Amino acid sequence: MTYVRKDVSTLTGTERRRFVNALLEVKRRGEYDEFVRTHITYYTSDGEHGLRTAHMAPSFLPWHRRFLLDLERALRRVDSSVTVPYWDWTRDRSMTSAPWTEDLLGGNGHGPDHQVITGPFAHAQGNWTIKESVTDGKFLTRDLGRSRAPIALPTGTELEWALADPVYDTSPWDSTCTKGFRNKLEGWGTGRDSAAWRNHNRVHRWVGGAMLGGASVNDPVFWVHHAFIDLQWTLWQRRHNGARYLPDSPPGPGSEQHGRIVARHEKMPPWDVTPDEMEDVSWIYRYA
Ligand code: CU1
Ligand code: CU1
């Protein structure tokens, strides 16, 4: 039975409560922090050695698709009615709209330390202590819109720029690609203005606080953001007549990317799964 992932702004009061409660229960069971650890472990950048699977690589999309499926399975073990909703940040662009409401993820951080003090994930509620992090903070932080140097969420036009590219990804298959759907969506650029952070990356920047860097999973907005990114892959495939994941075979021994990225039919750690197997998941879920 396939299930449906909905726009977070359309969830009923009951659906919101069940989604939040499932997240809190997965956290209470200790499973949530395993997801945080996994993301920190696989947050390998261009400048480091070894295989990159989660970021700055073609497998950005299938890696996060599988990661979301694992979290969704954990949520559905708690409550089988729950699916991961998506946040359409081209439409819900204010700091008070979904998903930033009291009955969903709570609002902006407060004061100089940007502590989230509203909603179910506020530290004082007692259910959301950060345990796995690159800093020492025990509470969730946000700086919506980046108060000191404001930036805007990506627009529909900026997202369209990525979707219009008919090629999945191109050499050198990293954060420096100026062509290809994957990096136009993932959003690595150059410079100091907002062009340095496009689409996916710009949303992490806009939320700020815990959403910056490898421990970004600590903010549950990670999942609703990545569900929307995941939806874009499906829309892109549909628009370009089932265009495929690239590269279709591994870069040869002479290439700088040899052994550093995952080709279509190679295993994508930490799972025993290939990008090819993640390209069509319509038998598992669909988007409403
Ligand atoms: Cu990630
Ligand atoms: Cu991300």
Side-chain angles (χ1 to χ4, degrees):
M1 265 285 280
T2 62
Y3 54 79
V4 176
R5 290 182 179 171
K6 298 172 185 168
D7 184 324
V8 70
S9 71
T10 69
L11 297 188
T12 65
T14 306
E15 287 169 333
R16 291 172 185 223
R17 185 171 48 76
R18 296 181 86 148
F19 173 56
V20 166
N21 286 345
L23 280 167
L24 296 177
E25 177 60 16
V26 168
K27 175 80 168 175
R28 196 193 63 77
R29 293 178 179 184
E31 296 171 20
Y32 196 91
D33 292 314
E34 290 176 32
F35 287 97
V36 183
R37 273 196 295 278
T38 298
H39 194 266
I40 293 172
T41 303
Y42 286 88
Y43 197 81
T44 306
S45 72
D46 287 350
E48 298 171 69
H49 296 288
L51 185 69
R52 304 186 307 281
T53 56
H55 288 274
M56 300 187 176
S59 51
F60 167 68
L61 287 163
W63 195 95
H64 286 84
R65 174 166 284 178
R66 176 55 199 254
F67 194 51
L68 257 73
L69 277 168
D70 283 1
L71 182 273
E72 199 164 47
R73 277 176 201 140
L75 296 174
R76 289 166 67 80
R77 281 194 294 271
V78 174
D79 181 341
S80 61
S81 77
V82 171
T83 65
V84 177
Y86 62 89
W87 168 32
D88 181 347
W89 30 256
T90 69
R91 297 170 62 144
D92 290 310
R93 305 175 63 79
S94 101
M95 297 179 195
T96 51
S97 64
W100 311 115
T101 54
E102 288 270 351
D103 60 354
L104 276 168
L105 305 186
N108 198 3
H110 181 83
D113 58 10
H114 302 294
Q115 180 171 177
V116 172
I117 55 168
T118 54
F121 303 93
H123 189 253
Q125 297 285 327
N127 301 316
W128 207 260
T129 296
I130 290 179
K131 296 188 177 133
E132 302 293 333
S133 179
V134 283
T135 59
D136 289 335
K138 297 279 174 267
F139 50 80
L140 186 58
T141 56
R142 289 179 190 139
D143 182 16
L144 303 186
R146 204 168 62 164
S147 51
R148 260 170 298 179
I151 51 169
L153 286 165
T155 62
T157 308
E158 288 169 299
L159 185 56
E160 171 57 29
W161 166 77
L163 285 165
D165 196 315
V167 177
Y168 179 82
D169 204 354
T170 62
S171 174
W173 318 106
D174 61 9
S175 70
T176 69
C177 296
T178 55
K179 289 187 179 139
F181 167 63
R182 187 274 308 170
N183 194 39
K184 286 182 177 179
L185 184 63
E186 189 180 4
W188 304 103
T190 52
R192 289 161 61 92
D193 62 348
S194 65
W197 310 99
R198 298 189 191 272
N199 291 313
H200 155 267
N201 281 344
R202 179 105 55 82
V203 175
H204 279 271
R205 293 269 134 185
W206 186 88
V207 177
M211 269 287 270
L212 305 175
S216 50
V217 177
N218 278 311
D219 192 331
V221 78
F222 176 92
W223 307 104
V224 296
H225 171 38
H226 271 277
F228 188 59
I229 293 296
D230 186 71
L231 165 59
Q232 304 314 309
W233 188 15
T234 302
L235 295 175
W236 177 84
Q237 287 170 320
R238 217 174 276 166
R239 181 184 311 195
H240 300 287
N241 305 312
R244 302 292 309 272
Y245 179 96
L246 293 173
D248 55 1
S249 59
S255 162
E256 271 192 23
Q257 295 300 323
H258 180 70
R260 304 220 47 207
I261 59 163
V262 172
R264 188 186 298 160
H265 300 284
E266 292 184 296
K267 300 281 189 224
M268 183 175 66
W271 303 285
D272 190 29
V273 69
T274 66
D276 169 68
E277 292 165 324
M278 286 286 102
E279 281 186 294
D280 180 6
V281 286
S282 59
W283 56 280
I284 307 175
Y285 64 84
R286 65 182 175 81
Y287 287 97

